[in-house]
């Protein structure tokens, strides 16, 4: 079933929604190659069987830990020897609890975790910013009950650039790459001709601009994808979504995503070098239409505009080039002044509604937010604020934009 759905995804006849709406059942380990199984959920867990036990690539989220465990145990009872984290995001590193408990019950060694050395620093940062991360993820995914983990399973083995792991008859060539994160690991298993890409490939446009998260690395991400493509592997298993089978397809997918990122980087840097401001650049830089049309590069999660902002942040810092933005006034004070000039906050709200009707959503968002800041207790303006941001959320194409607009509507 998983590989049949993968074919539909490649043809553009199905998308990632199948992993959310239950079309691809969770809690099942799908064997897609000899001794290789994928347990799909929000994030994939890949299991490789060796003569000396199992190796997990990623472990899943806390809410799928038990179902993933049951699925893997139904597929194979062998002990889990190692677990490799592709990176430290919580949907990839919070699923080892049931396997640790099993090892304790059996008086056995618990799985050894391997990750890039920067994962430890990420976990430490997550502890320091737990409440912030809870709020960010609740807003991003539209889930006010989102729970942020309090404890993390730290790796026992870390590496810096490359690490070679031999388990039974299989070799795991682990390589570091900065991309979505600074702590990312991708792997090649030569005996299975298999690439484990983690979140360097996710069946969406790359998550390289997320407006609520830390720095991402577009150019280095593209370099890693091209290194994978050079391996000419016959199977690619991503961190999210269906596997890709066939050398030509694997190579095409990897090089397309690399070219997508390289195009955004080159366009952004060219404009920066010509002295353009960020607010100009985000409206000028565009993904080539040939790439934007690919079924695995739809901007349904992140958006190219956000990636451009992250490229600017990496190479140019946080100031956007507008001298008035260097030391901005208090937002509520500026809103009051602009409302005064407009003849009152209700005039701003009315003009925002007109902008929405005139298909100028960015103008509508800015004006209604100013009106709301100028008169935060006005019921009519509150209602208009909610209506406009609800409409903007409904028309948003990416999950990140939709989540932020919905949070504004309910604020």
């Amino acid at each position: 079933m998983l590989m049949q759905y993968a074919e539909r995804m490649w043809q553009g006849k199905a998308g990632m929604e199948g992993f959310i709406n239950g079309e691809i059942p969770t809690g099942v380990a799908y064997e897609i190659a000899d001794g290789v199984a994928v347990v799909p959920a929000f994030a994939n867990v890949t299991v490789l069987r060796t003569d000396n036990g199992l190796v997990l690539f990623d472990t899943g989220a806390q809410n799928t830990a038990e179902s993933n465990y049951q699925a893997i145990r139904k597929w194979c009872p062998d002990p889990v020897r190692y677990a490799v984290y592709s990176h430290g995001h919580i949907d990839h590193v919070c699923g080892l609890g049931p396997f640790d408990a099993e090892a304790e019950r059996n008086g056995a060694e618990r799985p050894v975790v391997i990750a890039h050395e920067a994962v430890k620093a990420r976990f430490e940062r997550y502890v320091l910013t737990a409440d912030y991360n809870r709020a960010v993820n609740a807003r991003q995914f539209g889930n006010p009950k989102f729970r942020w983990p309090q404890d993390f399973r730290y790796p026992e083995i870390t590496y810096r650039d490359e690490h070679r792991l031999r388990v039974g008859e299989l070799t795991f060539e682990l390589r570091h790459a900065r991309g979505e994160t600074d702590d990312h690991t991708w792997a090649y298993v030569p005996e299975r001709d298999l690439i484990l890409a983690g979140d360097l490939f996710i069946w969406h446009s790359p998550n390289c601009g997320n407006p609520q998260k830390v720095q991402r690395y577009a150019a280095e991400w593209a370099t890693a994808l091209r290194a994978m493509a050079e391996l000419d592997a016959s199977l690619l298993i991503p961190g999210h979504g269906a596997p890709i089978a066939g050398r030509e397809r694997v190579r095409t997918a990897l090089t397309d995503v690399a070219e997508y990122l390289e195009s955004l980087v080159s366009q952004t840097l060219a404009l920066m070098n010509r002295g353009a401001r960020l607010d100009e650049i985000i409206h000028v830089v565009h993904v080539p239409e040939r790439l934007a049309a690919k079924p695995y590069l739809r901007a349904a999660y992140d958006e190219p505009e956000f990636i451009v902002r992250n490229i600017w942040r990496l190479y140019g810092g946080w100031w956007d080039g507008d001298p008035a933005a260097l030391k901005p006034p208090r937002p509520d004070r500026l809103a009051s002044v602009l409302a005064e000039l407009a003849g009152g906050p209700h005039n701003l709200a009315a003009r925002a509604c007109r902008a929405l009707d005139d298909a100028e959503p960015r103008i509508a968002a800015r004006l209604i937010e100013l009106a709301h800041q100028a008169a935060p207790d006005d019921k009519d303006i509150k209602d208009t604020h909610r209506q406009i941001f609800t409409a903007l959320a409904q028309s948003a194409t990416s999950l990140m934009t939709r989540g932020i607009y919905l949070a504004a509507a309910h604020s």
Side-chain angles (χ1 to χ4, degrees):
M1 175 181 287
L2 180 60
M3 297 310 293
Q4 291 173 337
Y5 195 82
E7 180 64 26
R8 292 174 58 203
M9 290 186 74
W10 184 263
Q11 299 295 338
K13 298 176 181 178
M16 286 293 293
E17 62 273 6
F19 292 82
I20 299 171
N21 63 19
E23 188 171 353
I24 297 298
T26 58
V28 178
Y30 297 90
E31 184 162 354
I32 62 170
D34 182 25
V36 180
V38 176
V39 186
F42 179 78
N44 294 331
V45 177
T46 302
V47 194
L48 292 99
R49 184 172 55 226
T50 80
D51 293 340
N52 192 33
L54 303 180
V55 177
L56 307 184
F57 191 82
D58 282 335
T59 68
Q62 53 188 345
N63 64 318
T64 58
E66 183 60 32
S67 62
N68 288 348
Y69 168 78
Q70 295 295 339
I72 292 168
R73 281 293 164 247
K74 186 175 181 180
W75 178 68
C76 181
D78 296 350
V80 175
R81 301 299 188 190
Y82 293 92
V84 179
Y85 293 161
S86 67
H87 60 299
H89 283 171
I90 64 170
D91 52 330
H92 295 264
V93 300
C94 293
L96 271 183
F99 293 100
D100 287 344
E102 176 190 78
E104 184 176 355
R105 288 194 304 272
N106 296 336
E109 295 290 328
R110 68 179 190 170
V112 175
V113 176
I114 304 175
H116 184 260
E117 62 184 9
V119 164
K120 289 184 176 182
R122 174 177 299 277
F123 289 166
E124 290 165 0
R125 174 164 56 82
Y126 280 171
V127 172
L128 292 174
T129 58
D131 290 340
Y132 172 77
N133 276 289
R134 183 205 58 77
V136 162
N137 283 276
R139 182 166 54 237
Q140 177 169 312
F141 296 106
N143 179 10
K145 297 181 179 180
F146 184 89
R147 293 176 56 201
W148 189 255
Q150 300 298 311
D151 299 303
F152 297 94
R153 178 74 144 76
Y154 281 71
E156 286 89 3
I157 297 174
T158 62
Y159 75 100
R160 177 162 298 174
D161 298 316
E162 297 181 357
H163 183 79
R164 186 177 184 274
L165 173 68
R166 183 77 179 180
V167 185
E169 75 281 19
L170 297 186
T171 307
F172 297 81
E173 298 177 3
L174 310 182
R175 305 183 190 182
H176 172 242
R178 296 205 302 179
E180 181 187 25
T181 66
D182 62 356
D183 59 359
H184 205 286
T185 292
W186 64 274
Y188 177 56
V189 184
E191 293 85 1
R192 296 290 179 266
D193 201 23
L194 162 67
I195 291 173
L196 300 161
D199 280 6
L200 297 173
F201 189 94
I202 59 170
W203 280 98
H204 283 310
S205 64
N207 182 14
C208 194
N210 194 318
Q212 304 181 87
K213 304 293 179 68
V214 297
Q215 183 67 57
R216 278 96 202 276
Y217 307 90
E220 291 166 273
W221 190 330
T223 298
L225 292 166
R226 292 202 179 277
M228 292 183 207
E230 289 177 1
L231 294 170
D232 201 29
S234 61
L235 184 61
L236 169 73
I237 301 179
H240 300 266
I244 298 176
R247 297 187 195 284
E248 183 176 352
R249 286 187 177 185
V250 170
R251 185 169 54 253
T252 298
L254 292 170
T255 54
D256 279 348
V257 181
E259 185 179 346
Y260 181 106
L261 290 167
E262 289 162 351
S263 176
L264 293 177
V265 171
S266 63
Q267 291 180 69
T268 302
L269 291 181
L271 289 164
M272 290 176 70
N273 285 325
R274 289 205 292 267
R277 293 181 181 181
L278 177 58
D279 59 1
E280 173 190 348
I281 293 174
I282 62 172
H283 293 289
V284 173
V285 172
H286 295 287
V287 174
E289 291 184 9
R290 177 185 69 82
L291 296 174
K294 295 282 187 174
Y296 42 81
L297 281 171
R298 294 170 178 157
Y301 185 51
D302 208 331
E303 297 190 34
E305 177 179 332
F306 301 158
I307 298 175
V308 170
R309 289 183 176 275
N310 235 328
I311 294 167
W312 174 284
R313 179 170 62 170
L314 178 63
Y315 293 102
W318 61 264
W319 180 50
D320 63 5
D322 179 355
L326 182 65
K327 300 186 73 173
R330 284 177 54 98
D332 55 348
R333 178 59 185 146
L334 176 62
S336 296
V337 171
L338 293 176
E340 180 184 345
L341 290 172
H346 285 270
N347 286 351
L348 285 175
R351 185 63 181 86
C353 292
R354 200 173 99 203
L356 190 64
D357 291 339
D358 292 342
E360 292 187 298
R362 296 174 189 246
I363 297 293
R366 174 52 63 201
L367 291 180
I368 194 57
E369 183 64 18
L370 285 168
H372 186 52
Q373 290 173 342
D377 298 323
D378 187 291
K379 182 180 183 303
D380 290 339
I381 289 178
K382 281 183 177 179
D383 288 343
T384 304
H385 185 271
R386 182 178 63 255
Q387 292 165 10
I388 287 178
F389 276 106
T390 298
L392 293 176
Q394 290 172 346
S395 63
T397 58
S398 77
L399 180 144
M400 293 178 189
T401 299
R402 187 161 53 252
I404 289 174
Y405 283 167
L406 281 175
H410 298 140
S411 63

